[in-house]
Amino acid sequence: MEIDVRKVAMLSRIRLTDEEAAEFGPQLSSIIGYVEQLAAINTDGVPPTAHPHDVAMPQRADVVTNSNRRDALQTPAPNTESGLYVVPKVID
Amino acid sequence: MPFTTLSELKTRLDAGETTAVALAGLYLDRIAEHNDNLNAFVHIDPAHVLAQAEASDAYRAKHAPRALEGLPIAVKDIFCTQDGPTQCCSNILKGFHAPYDAHVITRLKEAGAVLVGKTNMDEFAMGSSTETSAFGVCRNPWDTDRIPGGSSGGSAAAVAAALTPAALGTDTGGSIRQPASICGITGLKPTYGRVSRRGIIAFASSLDQAGPMTRTVKDSAMITAAICGHDSMDSTCVSDAPVIDWLGSCDKTDMKGLKIGKPKEYFVDGMDAGVRASIEEALRRCAELGAEIIDISLPHTEAAVAAYYVIAPSEASANLSRYDGVRFGQRCKDPEDLLDMYTRSRDEGFGSEVKRRILTGTFALSSGYYDAYYIKAQRVRTKIRQDFIDAFEQVDVIATPTSPITAFKLGEKTDDPLTMYLSDIFTIAVNLAGLPGLSQPCGFVEGLPVGLQWIAPAWREDLILGAASAYEAATDWLQIPAGFGGEA
């Protein structure tokens, strides 16, 4: 299968160099070609498995348990100001 | 001494024959001597290691020792630790210091363990050879021209060469069991939901599970007992998981009455003849120990690799969307606008294998392909689970090779991603079904270790610990690689 690797890369928010696009295109086609063997397996009426065990989502008591750790959590950020994350200008 | 088991070290500590500081010094010296050759550790802070050891000795002077008191344990660079960097061996996390400890790290600290450092791994745990690490390849102590397996290759190499008596790894498609096999040690992937994933950098959330890599089966049981259990901050960590007797399960010395399934799909053309012969011989030994070997079939085994390479990359593409250069991780220099910042930060920060998996997953989840690839793979996953449910109607445990081949040469498979993916063929189905799996050494082919894999029903780690302990007691496959010597 021919895959538009540039389109997939844009959906993934990864800028590819020309060399990378040339390398990844055929590799993606080969990987997707391999997984296409799944189509040959009869799964009529078989439900999908998203999680290995059939357990109900647990709930905990509706009480606040976490404290405000804003400064610690923002320490690894590339750029912050007044407790906010700074990014390039979005609106002109 | 360095090649002593964790449980024997505990006995010596408890008897007052050694101290946590002495052990820390012993292994720090070995790391200093051998790590340049192996590149098993990517971060070591000797002063911090010794400080933890001193604190443990001080605790022991006043209290009864905790479960892992004073024992050195290394952890893969995927576990968030407040002390030192957590980089997942990726450039995008270079210099990242986690603001909290992973749940299992907290549990290790509460048990009195001394954390030795961070071990090398494939970037974001995506690989089978520890060649995609941003900090350079890791080498196999049995032959330093060969790979240690992956993705937890640093943990495996460090334990095999006795740079630490034990380590933690993570296993999404075999990343504990395959490197354990390739380096000749024991590794356990617990049942999905047994161990909290909080603070473990996510790869594929429905498959990831942390576990021990050790010299013996009992050592693996000791560590798993300390790190397992409910965590209210991981909703997939099961709160009412059946409790087993971790250490007691390791007392078995025979296999009387045990029904071992031998799946025909795991003994196929294309696997190494020496590996096959080692596994056949191991199963003969199990029969001598009283087990009944029963031929079974897991018909969707081959489809497991295909289902995995849709499901794991799909989950990875969603999990790794968080690396956007905003809240943590590397941001590219002088971005023109927001889109340029996202796309260039991610291109510069991720290595090729991580990009390949994100692209594969994004494709499988994209409009028009979602049903044909992602949902289809999830339906096949149901059939793979059902294969095991059916098999466990007939047998107690399943025994297979862990890997179809022994350690290959560095660089041998890096050109063809698909060939690399197929090296996980015998470990992947266990993750898709959420089952426990253990690899232990069972022989050598041309000087390279071979691993025997045990698989049990969900929550029945006791069955594989018992079988593996009996096999271990009857054999002598835990050996010391030449060049890393030292008396046991």
Side-chain angles (χ1 to χ4, degrees):
Chain A
M1 179 200 262
E2 211 39 45
I3 294 170
D4 184 348
V5 69
R6 291 271 179 206
K7 184 183 164 200
V8 178
M10 187 41 71
L11 289 172
S12 309
R13 294 293 183 265
I14 296 174
R15 191 197 65 167
L16 295 183
T17 61
D18 291 342
E19 295 78 43
E20 284 177 319
E23 183 194 347
F24 291 154
Q27 287 175 340
L28 270 195
S29 296
S30 149
I31 294 164
I32 296 300
Y34 177 78
V35 305
E36 269 168 4
Q37 64 176 280
L38 294 174
I41 298 168
N42 181 359
T43 53
D44 292 349
V46 177
T49 293
H51 187 280
H53 308 306
D54 295 319
V55 285
M57 187 64 82
Q59 295 184 324
R60 64 179 191 224
D62 186 15
V63 290
V64 176
T65 55
N66 53 332
S67 54
N68 183 357
R69 297 190 61 213
R70 187 179 70 184
D71 291 346
L73 294 170
Q74 288 196 327
T75 302
N79 194 358
T80 59
E81 193 180 308
S82 311
L84 303 170
Y85 295 101
V86 179
V87 296
K89 197 167 159 188
V90 178
I91 302 165
D92 282 320
Chain B
M1 185 79 156
F3 288 89
T4 308
T5 67
L6 199 67
S7 51
E8 174 60 20
L9 290 176
K10 178 176 163 56
T11 304
R12 292 190 197 177
L13 279 167
D14 290 352
E17 293 167 19
T18 187
T19 63
V21 169
L23 287 183
L26 170 76
Y27 288 104
L28 285 171
D29 285 350
R30 287 189 61 82
I31 292 166
E33 186 182 349
H34 295 294
N35 196 52
D36 283 353
N37 192 10
L38 294 176
N39 201 25
F41 281 89
V42 295
H43 174 75
I44 284 281
D45 178 354
H48 180 59
V49 176
L50 289 169
Q52 293 174 74
E54 281 164 14
S56 171
D57 284 335
Y59 183 93
R60 182 187 290 276
K62 290 188 184 156
H63 307 88
R66 296 161 290 185
L68 302 172
E69 193 68 62
L71 294 170
I73 298 178
V75 303
K76 188 176 180 177
D77 196 28
I78 201 167
F79 293 94
C80 284
T81 54
Q82 281 185 293
D83 303 312
T86 299
Q87 304 175 102
C88 226
C89 288
S90 177
N91 282 322
I92 211 157
L93 280 174
K94 209 156 240 179
F96 176 69
H97 281 73
Y100 55 88
D101 280 335
H103 183 72
V104 295
I105 297 295
T106 304
R107 297 293 295 271
L108 286 180
K109 286 181 173 174
E110 287 171 355
V114 173
L115 300 175
V116 191
K118 291 289 180 65
T119 57
N120 206 351
M121 56 184 281
D122 281 297
E123 182 181 2
F124 281 103
M126 297 175 186
S128 310
S129 63
T130 317
E131 292 175 290
T132 71
S133 167
F135 300 116
V137 301
C138 179
R139 293 167 184 274
N140 190 322
W142 289 96
D143 177 349
T144 52
D145 290 334
R146 292 177 188 270
I147 58 110
S151 66
S152 312
S155 288
V159 172
L163 306 191
T164 176
L168 286 189
T170 57
D171 190 316
T172 304
S175 284
I176 287 174
R177 291 161 288 152
Q178 186 258 17
S181 165
I182 296 287
C183 287
I185 61 163
T186 297
L188 171 67
K189 183 200 90 76
T191 307
Y192 182 86
R194 181 70 92 178
V195 174
S196 169
R197 293 182 297 105
R198 173 161 59 97
I200 300 173
I201 294 172
F203 164 9
S205 304
S206 80
L207 304 164
D208 297 343
Q209 190 68 191
M213 303 175 75
T214 59
R215 303 189 66 73
T216 66
V217 177
K218 189 178 181 184
D219 291 357
S220 277
M222 271 171 70
I223 293 179
T224 315
I227 63 172
C228 73
H230 181 56
D231 172 15
S232 61
M233 292 172 82
D234 172 5
S235 62
T236 65
C237 186
V238 177
S239 58
D240 53 355
V243 175
I244 62 166
D245 180 0
W246 292 96
L247 294 181
S249 302
C250 301
D251 292 337
K252 280 222 176 275
T253 52
D254 67 59
M255 299 190 189
K256 287 194 183 77
L258 186 73
K259 290 181 181 165
I260 300 176
K262 181 187 173 194
K264 66 169 190 253
E265 292 81 3
Y266 285 67
F267 295 83
V268 292
D269 294 341
M271 71 186 289
D272 183 282
V275 169
R276 183 178 187 142
S278 294
I279 302 297
E280 300 274 8
E281 178 55 31
L283 287 172
R284 269 194 294 279
R285 199 71 221 261
C286 293
E288 285 167 21
L289 291 166
E292 185 184 349
I293 313 296
I294 298 169
D295 289 319
I296 60 167
S297 174
L298 297 165
H300 296 92
T301 297
E302 206 189 325
V305 178
Y308 178 88
Y309 278 98
V310 173
I311 291 168
S314 294
E315 294 188 19
S317 78
N319 272 326
L320 272 62
S321 67
R322 74 191 60 177
Y323 303 100
D324 55 5
V326 176
R327 290 156 302 154
F328 39 73
Q330 292 296 308
R331 177 185 291 192
C332 66
K333 286 221 163 36
D334 305 323
E336 286 168 23
D337 54 25
L338 198 61
L339 187 64
D340 182 50
M341 185 188 79
Y342 292 151
T343 58
R344 207 146 52 79
S345 297
R346 289 163 67 79
D347 183 42
E348 291 170 9
F350 292 136
S352 349
E353 182 56 29
V354 172
K355 285 178 200 164
R356 243 183 323 268
R357 305 241 187 155
I358 292 174
L359 294 174
T360 306
T362 302
F363 174 79
L365 294 175
S366 63
S367 171
Y369 300 104
Y370 180 82
D371 287 331
Y373 291 95
Y374 184 62
I375 297 296
K376 180 73 184 184
Q378 287 195 322
R379 290 187 203 280
V380 172
R381 185 175 184 180
T382 305
K383 300 199 84 156
I384 291 161
R385 281 175 67 203
Q386 191 61 46
D387 279 358
F388 283 105
I389 291 167
D390 295 345
F392 287 125
E393 296 280 320
Q394 298 174 66
V395 298
D396 302 312
V397 293
I398 294 170
T400 76
T402 307
S403 165
I405 49 173
T406 55
F408 50 86
K409 288 237 160 97
L410 290 162
E412 191 179 321
K413 290 183 194 279
T414 40
D415 289 344
D416 182 1
L418 201 52
T419 316
M420 185 76 89
Y421 294 176
L422 290 170
S423 56
D424 301 334
I425 188 162
F426 295 153
T427 46
I428 274 173
V430 169
N431 299 78
L432 290 170
L435 305 177
L438 178 144
S439 180
Q440 70 179 145
C442 74
F444 287 85
V445 175
E446 290 167 10
L448 298 170
V450 179
L452 171 67
Q453 176 175 240
W454 295 98
I455 306 166
W459 315 114
R460 295 306 306 274
E461 287 89 345
D462 55 321
L463 292 174
I464 48 183
L465 291 172
S469 294
Y471 179 77
E472 183 182 79
T475 56
D476 193 19
W477 294 119
L478 175 68
Q479 294 179 16
I480 297 175
F484 297 91
E487 54 192 305

